[in-house]
Amino acid sequence: MESKLEKIVALAKRRGFVYPGSDIYGGLAGTWDYGPLGVALKNNIKNLWWRMFVDSRDDMYGMDAAILMNPKAWEASGHVAGFADPLGEKMFNTMFRTNVGAGEEAQTTYLRPETAGGIFVNFKNVVDSFHPKLPFGIAQIGKAFRNEIAPRDFLFRTREFEQMEIEWFTRESEWEKWFDFWRERMREWVVEIGLEKSHVHETEVPEKDRAHYSRRTIDFDYDFPFGRGELYGLAYRGDFDLSAHAKASGAELSVLDETDERVVPHVVEPSFGVDRTVLAVLDSAYAEDEMGGEKRIFLRLNPAIAPVKAAVFPLVSNKEPIVAKAREIYSSLKPLVPSIQFDDIGNIGKRYRRQDEIGTPACITVDYQTLEDDTVTVRDRDSGKQERVAAKELDIHLTIG
Ligand code: ATP
């Protein structure tokens, strides 16, 4: 029997969410490529995160730093010496090494193993441009790379992945308050993206298992189909990074407090993996039931992140007035719901199945009655129930539905 993970991987490939990386060449371990629906789902997740944690706050600064950084930054942060996993007798540094420049001039550096580094080296730039008062945060979404010894479990452990990270700068005396504050926000996020609550567990990470920079860490673990694993992390990094970069670079990485004293802020870091989020979202949403005497697979995605929000079908594809009316309704909704799809391929049952499998919350069907009274049916993905709605009220129906 197929395991749940195998079913999710198969659906992801069949429907264009995620393909194995370099598929026609037999793949490349630890890499996955997002297809048309996967990139839409991933963008919806990232946009929701950015709205919730950056745009809706006055105390958060967004940024997008280069992936390639001066190697001195990774020496100062302790990653060159300490970012390693055990491999046989010796430790193996999991940073990807690369060369910048040619010939004698070539300089060895690393693909960043976490996005946080780009934030710390820009701390002074942001402070000089915006003069923020403590506490404030800098947030970034971007790729990170780790030469994992054993990449596995689909999107869970890959060698190239994306992170959504916040470095929250606070006075040392207030770090615990802000640690609790961000823990609460992370809980809200988990609900917002529709994860199955009973699958999420918070665990205090003991000192021996913490990253070299962390003085307290809570992992948000998730019950993935293959077992429990880290979904997100919340770490108190103290003043480790700013102090280390100040020492190594000679830059002044401090702020003036209200008494005009220079203080090096302490850091609370909520860190979210995008790809593990996609996997947890697919796992929580994946459902099977029986409808009309047939087995059905559907994704109960939260409409806020569903890659396709609605689909419009003509009941039959060979009756011109019905097709024309469906096209007209589709075009009128497209500006309002950009991810809407038009589908007239195959029979209506097949079209419903296809939309169910990609998690489309609403299917709108134009039928013979539409031509008489300008109403359409709207079918709910989860219950399969249909209701008749006036075509001119569809915009309201879709935006609040
Ligand atoms: P793990 O213990 O599973 O290796 P970690 O503790 O090394 O993870 P962090 O350094 O805390 O992970 O990275 C922050 C987040 O980045 C993780 O919570 C996870 O969501 C994501 N992440 C880390 N490594 C990977 C990976 N190899 N593939 C996909 N996502 C990852």
Side-chain angles (χ1 to χ4, degrees), residues 146 148 156-158 161 163 230-233 271 273 276:
R146 296 183 191 177
E148 297 279 359
F156 180 76
R157 191 171 299 287
T158 59
F161 54 96
Q163 292 182 315
E230 176 180 332
L231 176 64
Y232 305 138
S271 179
R276 287 188 190 177

Side-chain angles (χ1 to χ4, degrees), residues 83 85 113-114 144-146 148 151-152 154-165 209 211 213 217 219-220 229-235 269 271-277:
F83 201 69
D85 281 340
E114 57 175 26
F145 301 82
R146 296 183 191 177
E148 297 279 359
R152 61 181 176 281
F154 192 31
L155 301 172
F156 180 76
R157 191 171 299 287
T158 59
R159 291 185 168 138
E160 173 176 345
F161 54 96
E162 264 182 293
Q163 292 182 315
M164 309 183 280
E165 292 197 301
D209 297 333
Y213 49 73
T217 298
D219 280 350
F220 279 66
E230 176 180 332
L231 176 64
Y232 305 138
L234 174 64
E269 177 196 66
S271 179
F272 305 72
V274 177
D275 312 80
R276 287 188 190 177
T277 304

Side-chain angles (χ1 to χ4, degrees), residues 289-296 353:
D289 67 1
E290 227 184 77
M291 197 170 272
E294 275 181 47
K295 190 186 134 200
R296 161 177 96 124
R353 293 289 171 274

Side-chain angles (χ1 to χ4, degrees), residues 100-112:
V100 177
E104 303 253 304
E105 303 286 297
Q107 189 184 17
T108 298
T109 188
Y110 308 91
L111 301 185
R112 66 181 178 203

